[in-house]
Amino acid sequence: MSFRDFLAECEKANLVRHVKEEKDPNLEIPKILSENAGQILQFEKVKGSSMPVVAGVCSKREYFAKAIGCEKNNLIQKISNAIANPTKPKVVETGACQEVVDENPDLSKIPILTHTSKDLGAYVTSGVYASKNKAGRLNIAYHRSSPIAKDKFVARICHRDTWKNLEENGGELDVAICLGLDPTVLLAASVSAGDTCEYDIANTLKPLELVKCKTSDLLVPAEAEIVIEATLTSKERHEEGPFADITGTLDSIRQEPVVKVKCITHRKNPIYQALLPASNEHRLLMGCLLYTSPS
């Protein structure tokens, strides 16, 4: 199931609220999201962009259960089983995520949200980075990214797998930033499971197809809405922050690696998935799914 297939299932269950009036990705949409916690919202008309914005798809356990196809009370068992029994996804020749290939990328065309007036600027918060280590092991993980030019981000890269891959590769690393993914993949990307590839966990939760990138040999979900193919470099740095972390407090300003965009591929009429930082959606994905009070 793709992100839009999941949305269609949620539509049938009357779980999606459509906002039809034009809304601004600069502060206005995040404010509406904050005021409607736990709801899946689709903004049909977004100022400055032809793409709709959808958020809230991971803001309740019920949504994860719906994506996996189980009862909410069985989530822990399903996730534990997937971690213990990872399976390899099918690799396909072509994918919907490459219906359109833009070799002259312009990040301003994407309706990236600016969440508060104190932030560095607009931030991609739902971006799942794919990268590989020297041995060829794939890893996917979340990293927030803020545009600093039409074809550059600065990214907060925590000192975990992506950082290790970057250092191992001499400070320059092929990455693919995937946007608009089924909640099973979003959930798997938040899991730390040693040497197990998170794609394999996602595939056990629900069959997943991967496709090779256009500019590297990285594999990405074939039905992603948007894939940003890029080079992550620690040889070029830029100020990153302030920005709210999971606690809602502002992170300090750091010098972080730059992401140089090579091309952007996407589905026809792509949907941009946003994720409200320091929200229940953020907390559920970042490790509290199993431990916080029911929601």
Side-chain angles (χ1 to χ4, degrees), residues 60-79:
K60 284 187 176 181
R61 286 176 176 77
E62 287 88 346
Y63 303 154
F64 287 108
K66 189 171 190 61
I68 294 171
C70 70
E71 296 297 322
K72 185 176 72 170
N73 292 340
N74 290 334
L75 273 173
I76 294 175
Q77 181 181 350
K78 287 286 187 180
I79 296 165

Side-chain angles (χ1 to χ4, degrees), residues 79-124:
I79 296 165
S80 297
N81 176 67
I83 293 171
N85 299 282
T87 54
K88 293 294 180 185
K90 180 180 180 181
V91 178
V92 295
E93 291 295 320
T94 60
C97 69
Q98 295 172 345
E99 289 174 335
V100 178
V101 179
D102 186 353
E103 296 179 341
N104 185 27
D106 184 353
L107 295 172
S108 69
K109 294 179 180 179
I110 302 174
I112 303 169
L113 306 188
T114 302
H115 296 88
T116 79
S117 58
K118 295 180 180 179
D119 296 345
L120 168 68
Y123 265 92
V124 173

Side-chain angles (χ1 to χ4, degrees), residues 120-141:
L120 168 68
Y123 265 92
V124 173
T125 50
S126 62
V128 172
Y129 277 61
S131 67
K132 283 173 38 171
N133 67 9
K134 280 286 189 182
R137 184 178 76 83
L138 275 163
N139 171 261
I140 59 172

Side-chain angles (χ1 to χ4, degrees), residues 180-205:
L181 304 172
D182 182 85
T184 54
V185 184
L186 296 170
L187 175 59
S190 70
V191 172
S192 295
D195 290 335
T196 301
C197 177
E198 294 81 2
Y199 282 143
D200 300 355
I201 296 170
N203 189 60
T204 299
L205 291 171

Side-chain angles (χ1 to χ4, degrees), residues 103-266:
E103 296 179 341
N104 185 27
D106 184 353
L107 295 172
S108 69
K109 294 179 180 179
I110 302 174
I112 303 169
L113 306 188
T114 302
H115 296 88
T116 79
S117 58
K118 295 180 180 179
D119 296 345
L120 168 68
Y123 265 92
V124 173
T125 50
S126 62
V128 172
Y129 277 61
S131 67
K132 283 173 38 171
N133 67 9
K134 280 286 189 182
R137 184 178 76 83
L138 275 163
N139 171 261
I140 59 172
Y142 291 92
H143 302 290
R144 69 189 190 216
S145 313
S146 183
I148 55 173
K150 76 169 191 175
D151 58 353
K152 284 185 180 181
F153 289 111
V154 61
R156 170 71 173 125
I157 307 296
C158 297
H159 287 203
R160 293 193 284 271
D161 284 342
T162 307
W163 181 266
K164 291 175 185 176
N165 294 348
L166 177 63
E167 286 195 320
E168 193 179 88
N169 211 51
E172 291 200 341
L173 182 71
D174 285 329
V175 295
I177 306 169
C178 306
L179 296 160
L181 304 172
D182 182 85
T184 54
V185 184
L186 296 170
L187 175 59
S190 70
V191 172
S192 295
D195 290 335
T196 301
C197 177
E198 294 81 2
Y199 282 143
D200 300 355
I201 296 170
N203 189 60
T204 299
L205 291 171
K206 182 189 297 181
L208 173 67
E209 292 186 344
L210 303 176
V211 68
K212 185 178 168 183
C213 283
K214 293 294 185 181
T215 63
S216 73
D217 62 355
L218 289 173
L219 296 173
V220 294
E223 294 192 326
E225 291 292 322
I226 303 167
V227 177
I228 301 171
E229 301 185 17
T231 300
L232 175 66
T233 176
S234 58
K235 297 177 181 179
E236 184 177 345
R237 302 272 185 150
H238 191 279
E239 283 190 351
E240 193 279 329
F243 192 72
D245 66 14
I246 195 168
T247 65
T249 56
L250 289 176
D251 275 345
S252 59
I253 298 172
R254 302 176 176 89
Q255 292 292 320
E256 289 286 346
V258 165
V259 180
K260 298 178 179 179
V261 180
K262 294 184 284 187
C263 81
I264 298 175
T265 72
H266 59 80

Side-chain angles (χ1 to χ4, degrees), residues 240-295:
E240 193 279 329
F243 192 72
D245 66 14
I246 195 168
T247 65
T249 56
L250 289 176
D251 275 345
S252 59
I253 298 172
R254 302 176 176 89
Q255 292 292 320
E256 289 286 346
V258 165
V259 180
K260 298 178 179 179
V261 180
K262 294 184 284 187
C263 81
I264 298 175
T265 72
H266 59 80
R267 299 182 67 136
K268 295 176 182 176
N269 304 312
I271 302 166
Y272 178 72
Q273 185 215 347
L275 192 155
L276 188 68
S279 66
N280 201 45
E281 186 169 28
H282 190 178
R283 289 186 287 271
L284 287 174
L285 279 169
M286 293 295 101
C288 299
L289 179 65
L290 309 183
Y291 306 112
T292 54
S293 59
S295 59

